[in-house]
Amino acid sequence: LCAGLAAGQTLNCDLAEYKPQPGLRADVDKDLLRIAWQGEGGQELRAVLGIQKGQPLIRELAARKAGGAWIVLGRDLQPEFRVTSGRRRVSEQQLAPLRKLKIEITPEVLEQEKWNVFWDAPLSVPGRAGTNPGLPRSPDEIRRASATYNAASCQVKSDGARMEVSFPGLAMGIFSGKLMFTVYKGTNLLRQEAIAKTGEPSVAYKYEGGLKGFTTAGAKVIWRDTARAWQEYRFGGKPNNDPFALRARNRLAVVERGGGSLAFFPPPHKFFFAREIEL
């Protein structure tokens, strides 16, 4: 079914693994999927999801205090992802001690050790001699792509106090998979992620993700800089359509508009590297 293309058409959404519970609900209303969940301190949140020409959309994102009026935070928001990929190489720093131990540098050893590399720079062309085998790098190794979507259905899955909504048909360069939204009962969080894989070998990658389509009229963004000072920017004037690197403490910023606010940040992450000995 091509959901969302015709008025009155029912959204093809699999609810087989969805279990209704207080404070965490989902229902299909013609060509829309409505999800609602209990937030913090008695607050309520809702998101209305749909598909337009294969593109998953957040038709509406809203919140309200207990017993209060709904405040719409955004409409017709489009998930956006960009990925840059290169080739992963082992480093000479890793190979030197292996040679001293008289370990034969076989393709199997290279395959295992390249995933533990510390001194690698896949986007550095042609690269610095003596840092990695197989140099110089070629510009053809670096590929950039934006996500495209060809969704015709969705799936809702309950997992304890969370609910996951996924849309298949995501393609992003050498990666393919699905788009997923996750909400958590008792929190004001909506998590958006691209779950994708590639069959190509030796891939190093980085990605950017977010939502586009917010109205900037009357809006401002607030954040703490790396020196812990509060900063504020009010939108106005000629729009800037190019990416802008915001250096924010805790990688967190808040947009305020129309009596409501929306904080955005990448998921917290933990990096453990067994060969790093500095404290």
Side-chain angles (χ1 to χ4, degrees):
L1 296 177
C2 296
L5 297 184
Q9 188 173 4
T10 301
L11 177 65
N12 180 16
C13 199
D14 181 2
L15 301 175
E17 296 187 67
Y18 162 66
K19 298 178 181 179
Q21 61 174 288
L24 200 61
R25 300 191 63 84
D27 65 271
V28 176
D29 181 8
K30 295 183 179 179
D31 62 343
L32 299 174
L33 170 67
R34 303 179 187 274
I35 60 174
W37 67 103
Q38 175 189 328
E40 299 179 12
Q43 297 179 65
E44 299 176 71
L45 301 103
R46 73 181 182 201
V48 181
L49 309 176
I51 302 174
Q52 180 175 318
K53 297 182 179 179
Q55 165 78 60
L57 297 173
I58 300 180
R59 289 297 191 182
E60 181 181 277
L61 184 61
R64 71 175 178 179
K65 296 180 179 179
W70 285 102
I71 297 174
V72 176
L73 304 172
R75 286 193 173 97
D76 293 330
L77 307 176
Q78 301 178 33
E80 185 177 36
F81 289 94
R82 294 186 293 270
V83 67
T84 301
S85 61
R87 178 182 169 191
R88 173 65 67 212
R89 287 178 171 84
V90 71
S91 70
E92 291 295 341
Q93 181 198 43
Q94 292 171 275
L95 296 178
L98 296 179
R99 294 189 182 104
K100 289 183 179 179
L101 293 171
K102 300 188 183 303
I103 295 177
E104 183 181 1
I105 309 300
T106 64
E108 291 75 20
V109 170
L110 292 174
E111 176 64 27
Q112 176 179 327
E113 293 298 326
K114 70 184 177 184
W115 302 112
N116 298 322
V117 64
F118 189 82
W119 297 111
D120 191 12
L123 302 183
S124 175
V125 178
R128 191 174 65 184
T131 56
N132 306 86
L135 296 180
R137 293 184 181 88
S138 166
D140 296 337
E141 295 180 18
I142 301 172
R143 287 170 286 188
R144 295 177 171 85
S146 297
T148 60
Y149 305 90
N150 188 26
S153 63
C154 63
Q155 180 186 40
V156 182
K157 179 180 179 181
S158 299
D159 185 2
R162 74 175 63 182
M163 183 165 57
E164 300 171 347
V165 181
S166 60
F167 295 86
L170 179 145
M172 187 163 50
I174 61 174
F175 296 89
S176 61
K178 61 184 179 181
L179 171 72
M180 179 179 286
F181 297 102
T182 306
V183 297
Y184 307 84
K185 182 179 178 179
T187 75
N188 291 17
L189 295 175
L190 171 66
R191 181 174 183 174
Q192 173 189 295
E193 55 190 331
I195 301 178
K197 65 180 181 179
T198 178
E200 295 205 9
S202 307
V203 174
Y205 71 95
K206 66 176 185 176
Y207 71 95
E208 302 166 335
L211 281 170
K212 65 180 180 180
F214 288 96
T215 300
T216 58
K220 63 179 179 180
V221 60
I222 302 171
W223 72 98
R224 293 180 71 183
D225 63 23
T226 53
R228 305 192 182 189
W230 285 104
Q231 303 291 342
E232 177 181 308
Y233 176 81
R234 293 182 179 273
F235 292 98
K238 186 178 180 179
N240 171 34
N241 296 317
D242 298 321
F244 177 79
L246 183 67
R247 299 185 180 275
R249 182 170 176 80
N250 303 123
R251 304 182 298 167
L252 170 69
V254 180
V255 174
E256 292 184 358
R257 180 183 178 274
S261 62
L262 179 72
F264 57 96
F265 55 93
H269 71 281
K270 180 172 65 175
F271 179 76
F272 174 75
F273 186 61
R275 296 176 63 245
E276 188 68 54
I277 60 174
E278 290 87 348
L279 298 179

